[in-house]
Amino acid sequence: MIKSHQLDKSDPETTKDIGNSYLQLQDIANARKWYQASLVINKDYAPAINNIANLDSQSGNHNSALELFKQAIAADPNLFPALLGAASSAIALNQPDKAIAFAINALEISPNTLKAHELLGIAYQNTGQQEKAIEHYKKEISRNSAAS
């Protein structure tokens, strides 16, 4: 794959895929480096921004992750993984209203998105809206047998 990038340095998808390969190898530093290389090619390449946001979220840097997820959403408003990531980061930052907005937006784009109802359940639970929380937990369980 690196050879492909050497032959055509204009495709951010190639560098993102190289980053994904490093991520599979659990080499986070190199994964991040290649995702950032995608942004050198195209600063608004939403999948790479989303992947960097995921790395920040996984490392507990939820403020940075949320800002990056928002940047990815601005670049591609239909990128529902970024919307779910933003919802998850907003929950981690105790911003349930933002989480609700992001998760609802993800469901509007893709009504069968797994995890969106779970995130809504958590966010509604965090706002004290237990009935809405239970409603969304039930929806998640009905769509996703692996849901916790």
Side-chain angles (χ1 to χ4, degrees):
M1 225 181 263
I2 292 174
K3 186 70 169 170
S4 293
H5 173 63
Q6 290 171 339
L7 295 172
D8 178 8
K9 295 184 182 219
S10 66
D11 186 1
E13 182 78 16
T14 302
T15 49
K16 179 195 61 93
D17 288 345
I18 295 169
N20 289 346
S21 295
Y22 277 108
L23 188 61
Q24 288 292 318
L25 297 170
Q26 299 180 346
D27 185 341
I28 305 303
N30 272 316
R32 182 180 296 271
K33 177 183 112 179
W34 284 100
Y35 296 146
Q36 289 170 333
S38 293
L39 299 178
V40 170
I41 297 167
N42 177 353
K43 67 179 177 61
D44 295 322
Y45 186 57
I49 299 167
N50 181 68
N51 289 354
I52 294 169
N54 280 324
L55 293 177
D56 283 355
S57 177
Q58 291 166 6
S59 70
N61 190 352
H62 298 291
N63 283 314
S64 173
L66 182 56
E67 290 309 310
L68 287 166
F69 284 128
K70 288 182 194 177
Q71 186 180 343
I73 294 162
D76 182 356
N78 293 318
L79 188 63
F80 66 86
L83 290 160
L84 293 178
S88 182
S89 289
I91 288 169
L93 293 168
N94 196 26
Q95 299 174 358
D97 292 334
K98 286 183 181 179
I100 290 166
F102 287 123
I104 287 173
N105 195 353
L107 285 168
E108 288 171 351
I109 292 167
S110 180
N112 296 318
T113 299
L114 298 182
K115 194 156 172 75
H117 284 289
E118 179 181 356
L119 291 170
L120 279 169
I122 294 167
Y124 282 123
Q125 185 174 354
N126 290 347
T127 62
Q129 299 179 65
Q130 305 308 326
E131 288 181 26
K132 280 188 172 184
I134 291 169
E135 171 190 335
H136 286 286
Y137 288 141
K138 286 180 178 179
K139 285 181 181 180
E140 184 69 29
I141 290 168
S142 74
R143 291 175 168 87
N144 181 3
S145 61
S148 57

